Amino acid sequence: MELNELLRGLNPEQRDAVTTIDGPVLVLAGAGTGKTRVITVRMAYMLATGIPPERILGMTFTNKAAREMRERLAQLVPGGGADKVTLGTFHSFCVRILRREISALNYLGNFTIADDSDQQGLVKQAIAQCGYGKDDISVSAVAAYISTQKNQLRFPGDAANAARNNFEASCAAVYRQYQELLELQNSVDFDDLLLLTYKIFSEFPEILAKYQERYRYLLIDEYQDTNDVQFEIVRMLCDKHHNLCVVGDDDQSIYSWRGANIRNILDFPSLYPGTKAVKLEQNYRSTNTILQAANAVIGGGGERFGKQLWSDNGKGEPLLLVKTDDGECEADFIAGYINQMMTENPSLKPGDFAVLYRSNHLSRQLEISFRNLGVPYRLVGGQEFYQRKEIKDAAAYLKVLVNLRDNQSLLRILPLPPRGLAEKAVNLLKENSGAGHSMRQILNSDAVAGKLPPKGAAAARELAAVMDKYTTEFETPGNLAAKVTGYLRESGYLDGLQAIYRDLEDARKRRENVDEFINAIAQYEMKSSEPATLAGFLENFALLEENDRTEEPQNPDGCVTLSTIHAAKGLEYPVVFLMALEDNVFPHERAVEEGNLDEELRLFYVAITRAKRKLIITAAMRRMQRGVFRNQRASRFLLRLPEELYEVANSDELIKRLEGDDLTRAFENIFNLLK
């Protein structure tokens, strides 16, 4: 394809980004500004100008993105060497390097890549070899620690030197042993793919020089999401020819909890002198009203490159801010309003709608409301609420109180959290049960306790005592949520979630889901026409789980999308509902407490820019939290929206109206409306 043909249809800024080939280039690609097109046309342009395809290296973060780019590139330059361009994820590129060069580190070229299960097993083995018991140090906590250290370029010796307390010192010792075990079996883990590539490039300049010469032109997608080790690999590769083009958006940097370092993109011009910065600000996705809202929201944030998104798509409809009485009413409104919009406008299909939320646990009530109305939906980036492991575990804790002989549930909860009741204790319980005696009945028996280590015996008696206490308490109906909260806390489950799951962020999300499970119990009790019992709730839970379970949709376009904002990044929908815009929900409670709101604000920006034609933002005046209704305050982020861009309504007004003109402002500003 001729050069002019390749450039046809590009706006001036896109053209600039495509044709500036030599030297460092920073492409600041705002949401919906045609980033993927720019990247693929840029590679096609390079090939058309005579750059050999073997000299081009493109890296992104997902296999899906890499496949899409390769397909588009092949269409642009059929038979022009597109298949010879190295294009893939960071990890796939590093595997390619290690297969050829890992012998420099005394590995064999036929190394295997340890999966999550392999890693957990090796960590467990390393813990034992370091002399720690299973309850002294958590496998998941150590695994998370090791991953963090590797992504921060720390080898075992570096980690030991950086240890700030006894826990980190213990983790560092296990890290050293774990790495030795990996090397003994000629294996690497997922993080090693990056770290060992960095090590080879750092310690063997002749190897680095070979790849610097081969890959003279580098293009990195989603650069704002790179971590420290990815940054260093890129820096070393381009250190000779300096032909580095990075594409990203600092306003969409939302993955610091996964190791992403926003400084990589913010500092790019100073780290690479002579950088040509190109801003892509023409948006091809949304109306100008939506973009003006996004600009206003992000404009008052922290350090950033200034961008002002605009569009040729016209002004569009005003944003709609909707208040509801509580979280249940909010979910009912969203499902009902989607149903109403599809009825009034047959051109709208379920796939045109998305409901976005800050945290996964908010999907529970939505799922119920959509099922009740028969509106098809799909969950993105997560399981249905009642299928999540922590919910199954919490339910198992309750089942053993209702059914003394539920051995399966008891076996499920004994190691959750780790308490010294490991495999030996489980085997003893199995051996001594039967003949009319359940495992729970003999949990604190002398027959079992006498054969356990003192710590395990004490743990068994303590757990049995808690179960006995709450079995008695639940014999009296009522006050279920408070009793469940007390039981899960005293049994160690609530506070033990951190020890069960891989990292602090994961444990926090699991705790939010368990809290939402307690909310479901409270709602069950409020709606029950008879005295509410734990057995009644578990019966209701089982029926919901069995009868209301949804199948994976064969046609995702025929379903409303329910998604966290994180999982929706990169996607777009004609109509977007953004729910639960309340302080301590969005922005998240932890961010408010820590005063770390910049990333939360960027997350709000990402949510707004998913909408193409219509954006509806909802907030509840009160929301159930841990089984108790609490009055809610409107999200401080809503105050950033210019008043001329939105209209306000109560949910009951909106769901009944037939004409858009009937919508009136009820309050001067959002804060007064929702406080």
Side-chain angles (χ1 to χ4, degrees):
M1 187 178 294
E2 295 184 358
L3 294 181
N4 287 337
E5 184 68 20
L6 277 174
L7 301 176
R8 182 174 297 148
L10 298 180
N11 65 44
E13 292 75 25
Q14 289 175 328
R15 214 176 254 240
D16 206 10
V18 165
T19 58
T20 307
I21 300 302
D22 297 319
V25 180
L26 171 62
V27 181
L28 294 164
T33 56
K35 171 182 71 90
T36 302
R37 184 183 184 192
V38 166
I39 292 172
T40 52
V41 174
R42 178 183 170 89
M43 287 189 286
Y45 184 87
M46 293 165 70
L47 295 174
T49 57
I51 294 173
E54 297 85 358
R55 297 287 182 264
I56 301 172
L57 169 62
M59 287 193 285
T60 186
F61 278 83
T62 67
N63 290 314
K64 180 182 177 183
R67 282 195 305 271
E68 184 181 355
M69 289 179 189
R70 187 172 293 284
E71 290 168 1
R72 290 195 187 188
L73 184 59
Q75 292 172 359
L76 290 171
V77 286
D83 57 327
K84 297 179 181 178
V85 173
T86 301
L87 181 59
T89 65
F90 274 93
H91 289 90
S92 66
F93 169 74
C94 288
V95 167
R96 180 190 293 249
I97 300 298
L98 293 179
R99 290 294 181 200
R100 296 171 179 158
E101 312 295 349
I102 202 169
S103 60
L105 301 177
N106 297 318
Y107 286 79
L108 299 175
N110 63 344
F111 64 85
T112 56
I113 301 173
D115 60 20
D116 286 343
S117 178
D118 298 329
Q119 293 174 47
Q120 294 285 316
L122 289 172
V123 169
K124 190 179 296 184
Q125 190 177 339
I127 289 173
Q129 291 181 358
C130 288
Y132 300 112
K134 293 182 179 180
D135 297 331
D136 295 328
I137 190 167
S138 162
V139 172
S140 57
V142 175
Y145 168 87
I146 293 172
S147 180
T148 298
Q149 297 303 305
K150 290 185 176 183
N151 286 324
Q152 293 179 349
L153 297 166
R154 292 196 184 113
F155 294 90
D158 305 316
N161 292 333
R164 297 168 294 181
N165 50 50
N166 290 337
F167 171 76
E168 291 187 358
S170 300
C171 288
V174 177
Y175 176 15
R176 184 184 297 278
Q177 191 64 33
Y178 166 80
Q179 208 61 28
E180 289 179 4
L181 290 172
L182 276 174
E183 292 176 21
L184 279 173
Q185 62 182 38
N186 199 45
S187 293
V188 301
D189 64 24
F190 204 58
D191 295 316
D192 279 335
L193 298 176
L194 302 180
L195 187 64
L196 296 182
T197 300
Y198 162 79
K199 185 177 177 68
I200 289 172
F201 285 170
S202 300
E203 296 182 1
F204 301 93
E206 68 281 6
I207 296 177
L208 174 61
K210 178 169 62 176
Y211 291 99
Q212 287 176 330
E213 192 59 31
R214 174 167 182 176
Y215 300 116
R216 296 189 179 190
Y217 297 89
L218 276 67
L219 196 155
I220 314 299
D221 187 24
E222 302 287 7
Y223 191 68
Q224 78 280 349
D225 294 336
T226 53
N227 61 24
D228 292 349
V229 66
Q230 290 162 337
F231 168 83
E232 288 295 334
I233 290 171
V234 171
R235 182 189 62 79
M236 288 188 286
L237 280 171
C238 73
D239 197 43
K240 182 176 181 180
H241 297 287
H242 308 292
N243 298 321
L244 171 63
C245 176
V246 301
V247 183
D249 184 5
D250 53 311
D251 291 336
Q252 297 187 74
S253 179
I254 57 174
Y255 295 117
S256 66
W257 50 274
R258 223 163 54 186
N261 187 349
I262 194 174
R263 298 303 325 172
N264 292 348
I265 190 168
L266 290 177
D267 295 340
F268 189 90
S270 59
L271 292 169
Y272 295 93
T275 291
K276 170 96 177 261
V278 182
K279 294 181 182 181
L280 303 185
E281 297 172 299
Q282 183 175 358
N283 176 285
Y284 296 91
R285 172 187 301 161
S286 306
T287 66
N288 276 299
T289 294
I290 291 170
L291 297 179
Q292 288 168 20
N295 290 334
V297 162
I298 202 66
E303 183 182 355
R304 59 184 289 269
F305 295 107
K307 294 185 297 295
Q308 288 290 312
L309 298 182
W310 62 276
S311 170
D312 282 334
N313 294 332
K315 182 179 179 180
E317 299 181 47
L319 277 60
L320 199 52
L321 273 58
V322 182
K323 75 167 182 176
T324 66
D325 290 336
D326 55 38
E328 185 176 2
C329 293
E330 178 185 45
D332 286 345
F333 161 73
I334 291 171
Y337 196 43
I338 289 174
N339 211 24
Q340 178 176 298
M341 281 192 282
M342 289 192 293
T343 301
E344 296 175 355
N345 185 355
S347 66
L348 285 172
K349 306 300 180 188
D352 293 328
F353 298 88
V355 186
L356 307 183
Y357 34 84
R358 172 61 179 85
S359 302
N360 253 315
H361 70 90
L362 293 166
S363 76
R364 181 189 67 86
Q365 193 61 57
L366 283 172
E367 292 177 58
I368 293 172
S369 296
F370 275 79
R371 288 169 178 167
N372 289 342
L373 277 181
V375 177
Y377 71 90
R378 66 183 184 118
L379 280 169
V380 174
Q383 292 175 296
E384 292 191 45
F385 183 83
Y386 289 110
Q387 298 302 312
R388 293 167 188 166
K389 181 181 181 302
E390 62 275 16
I391 303 305
K392 295 276 196 180
D393 294 339
Y397 264 94
L398 301 182
K399 289 176 182 179
V400 298
L401 300 185
V402 172
N403 181 3
L404 188 66
R405 297 183 179 274
D406 191 342
N407 291 342
Q408 197 60 42
S409 291
L410 183 65
L411 290 174
R412 179 174 186 129
I413 68 173
L414 283 179
L416 301 172
R419 58 176 115 233
L421 296 174
E423 187 175 352
K424 183 179 180 180
V426 170
N427 290 335
L428 284 170
L429 288 172
K430 290 179 178 178
E431 291 169 6
N432 287 272
S433 62
H437 295 287
S438 69
M439 290 184 186
R440 185 185 152 190
Q441 287 174 308
I442 62 170
L443 184 60
N444 66 344
S445 68
D446 293 338
V448 172
K451 298 178 182 178
L452 289 175
K455 186 175 181 179
R461 292 190 183 279
E462 183 179 344
L463 181 60
V466 173
M467 288 179 178
D468 290 343
K469 171 186 173 181
Y470 279 93
T471 298
T472 302
E473 289 203 16
F474 279 110
E475 289 175 355
T476 304
N479 206 19
L480 293 185
K483 292 176 184 176
V484 169
T485 302
Y487 168 55
L488 293 180
R489 180 171 288 112
E490 289 185 39
S491 66
Y493 183 66
L494 286 183
D495 294 334
L497 286 167
Q498 185 175 328
I500 299 171
Y501 293 103
R502 188 173 180 84
D503 58 29
L504 292 175
E505 182 69 15
D506 188 21
R508 180 187 63 76
K509 291 178 180 177
R510 305 272 187 172
R511 173 60 191 266
E512 288 179 343
N513 288 337
V514 175
D515 288 342
E516 187 63 25
F517 179 64
I518 294 171
N519 290 344
I521 295 171
Q523 287 183 327
Y524 162 78
E525 184 169 7
M526 284 189 298
K527 293 179 178 181
S528 180
S529 58
E530 301 177 353
T533 64
L534 182 60
F537 170 75
L538 289 173
E539 181 179 294
N540 182 271
F541 173 83
L543 292 172
L544 177 69
E545 188 184 22
E546 180 63 29
N547 298 331
D548 291 344
R549 189 177 301 165
T550 58
E551 301 286 335
E552 182 67 23
Q554 296 185 350
N555 177 23
D557 291 337
C559 300
V560 177
T561 295
L562 311 184
S563 174
T564 63
I565 303 168
H566 283 99
K569 185 175 177 292
L571 304 177
E572 59 184 44
Y573 305 89
V575 184
V576 169
F577 287 78
L578 179 55
M579 66 175 294
L581 260 291
E582 304 135 27
D583 267 355
N584 296 318
V585 180
F586 193 10
H588 193 277
E589 181 179 16
R590 190 177 62 169
V592 174
E593 290 174 353
E594 296 175 354
N596 184 22
L597 297 175
D598 285 349
E599 186 157 322
E600 291 287 292
L601 192 63
R602 294 195 291 270
L603 194 61
F604 186 35
Y605 171 86
V606 168
I608 292 172
T609 54
R610 298 313 93 196
K612 297 170 69 174
R613 300 201 307 266
K614 191 176 185 69
L615 176 64
I616 301 104
I617 299 174
T618 65
M621 299 183 68
R622 60 178 191 155
R623 191 172 297 277
M624 186 171 285
Q625 297 175 355
R626 301 179 183 176
V628 179
F629 273 118
R630 303 184 189 278
N631 292 331
Q632 295 295 96
R633 181 174 179 173
S635 171
R636 65 195 70 191
F637 291 164
L638 293 178
L639 298 176
R640 295 175 176 268
L641 295 173
E643 289 189 14
E644 65 271 16
L645 298 180
Y646 63 81
E647 295 178 331
V648 177
N650 292 316
S651 59
D652 55 354
E653 296 173 351
L654 193 62
I655 203 73
K656 292 175 183 176
R657 74 178 179 87
L658 297 177
E659 302 292 334
D661 295 341
D662 295 337
L663 196 63
T664 58
R665 277 183 207 276
F667 297 87
E668 290 255 334
N669 58 54
I670 310 161
F671 211 83
N672 289 333
L673 171 71
L674 298 173
K675 70 180 181 179

